[in-house]
Structure formats: structure tokens, C-alpha cells
């Protein structure tokens, strides 16, 4: 039995200042539970100044996904860091607009900005 249909890939830069999290699959209640603790563990370990959630591989997201993003936003704010979303599809952007998320969390399109200070 598969516990989650959302997988993630974590990477950080040499200094640990950037944490990149690529999410793939569906972020529903079951998918959010597993990845939440993995992302939080990486944030606690690396204490990055910038965490980038790459969502280009996300096929579906419900309110649990919004909660996942908002929780990581609050966690990064608590350590003085920034949360950025990338690879946001038109479908996800509609959901973010309805939830007001695009007014709170920074959304970028380009991958090459990972190296900026």
C-alpha cells in the first residue's frame, strides 16, 4: 500500500543558505503529511535563508497543499528566512489566487535565481 502519492527531492547549496525542495505528484491530505516532516527536518538541519519549493511536478493540490505551503512560510519567517515558490502551473495559480496565497508568498518563474543573495 502506498502511503503518499507525493514525492520530494531535497538539495541544499554548500553553505546551507539555500534549500531546494522539488515536489512531484499530488499534494492532498495523505501527500502533505509525509513531505511536511521531511521539509521541516531539512529546514531545522540547514537553517537556510531561502527555501525554494519547486511545484512544476505537482499535478493536483487541495487545501492540504495550501496548508503545507503556509506552514513552511511561517517556519521560514520564524528563522528569518524566505519561502519562494517556483514552477507554478496556471491551475495552481488559480488556487493560490482564490486562497490569497500569491499576496503572501513570493512566486518566481526562473530557476537561475537560486544563486542570488
Amino acid at each position: 500500500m502506498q502511503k503518499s502519492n507525493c514525492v520530494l527531492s531535497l538539495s541544499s547549496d554548500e553553505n546551507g543558505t539555500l534549500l531546494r525542495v522539488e515536489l512531484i505528484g499530488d499534494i492532498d491530505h495523505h501527500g502533505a503529511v509525509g513531505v511536511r516532516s521531511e521539509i521541516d527536518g531539512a529546514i531545522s538541519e540547514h537553517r537556510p535563508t531561502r527555501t525554494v519549493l519547486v511545484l512544476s511536478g505537482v499535478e493536483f493540490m487541495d487545501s492540504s497543499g495550501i496548508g503545507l505551503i503556509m506552514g513552511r512560510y511561517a517556519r521560514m519567517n520564524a528563522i528569518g528566512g524566505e519561502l519562494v515558490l517556483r514552477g507554478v502551473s496556471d491551475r495552481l495559480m488559480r488556487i493560490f489566487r482564490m486562497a490569497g496565497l500569491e499576496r503572501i508568498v513570493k512566486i518566481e518563474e526562473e530557476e537561475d535565481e537560486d544563486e542570488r543573495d
Side-chain angles (χ1 to χ4, degrees), residues 9-28:
S9 169
L10 294 166
S11 60
S12 65
D13 63 359
E14 289 180 12
N15 302 325
T17 58
L18 172 72
L19 178 65
R20 184 178 185 278
V21 181
E22 184 172 358
L23 296 163
I24 300 168
D26 297 342
I27 306 177
D28 54 14

Side-chain angles (χ1 to χ4, degrees), residues 70-116:
M70 289 307 300
R72 291 345 87 209
Y73 172 80
R75 193 163 182 90
M76 287 302 297
N77 274 343
I79 64 169
E82 172 185 42
L83 179 73
V84 176
L85 305 179
R86 291 221 182 112
V88 177
S89 68
D90 291 341
R91 180 186 310 187
L92 291 182
M93 187 56 83
R94 282 192 298 274
I95 293 168
F96 294 169
R97 284 189 182 119
M98 285 190 296
L101 190 67
E102 90 288 357
R103 293 186 307 251
I104 300 166
V105 179
K106 185 174 185 177
I107 300 173
E108 295 178 348
E109 295 183 22
E110 299 299 320
E111 279 291 321
D112 60 0
E113 297 209 15
D114 278 347
E115 298 302 324
R116 82 177 179 177

Side-chain angles (χ1 to χ4, degrees), residues 20-83:
R20 184 178 185 278
V21 181
E22 184 172 358
L23 296 163
I24 300 168
D26 297 342
I27 306 177
D28 54 14
H29 172 70
H30 299 290
V33 170
V35 298
R36 180 182 305 125
S37 62
E38 288 189 58
I39 296 169
D40 285 351
I43 290 171
S44 293
E45 178 183 342
H46 298 284
R47 296 192 58 82
T49 55
R50 185 171 166 94
T51 294
V52 177
L53 296 183
V54 181
L55 303 174
S56 53
V58 173
E59 299 167 10
F60 170 82
M61 178 184 291
D62 65 10
S63 61
S64 298
I66 300 293
L68 173 77
I69 292 168
M70 289 307 300
R72 291 345 87 209
Y73 172 80
R75 193 163 182 90
M76 287 302 297
N77 274 343
I79 64 169
E82 172 185 42
L83 179 73

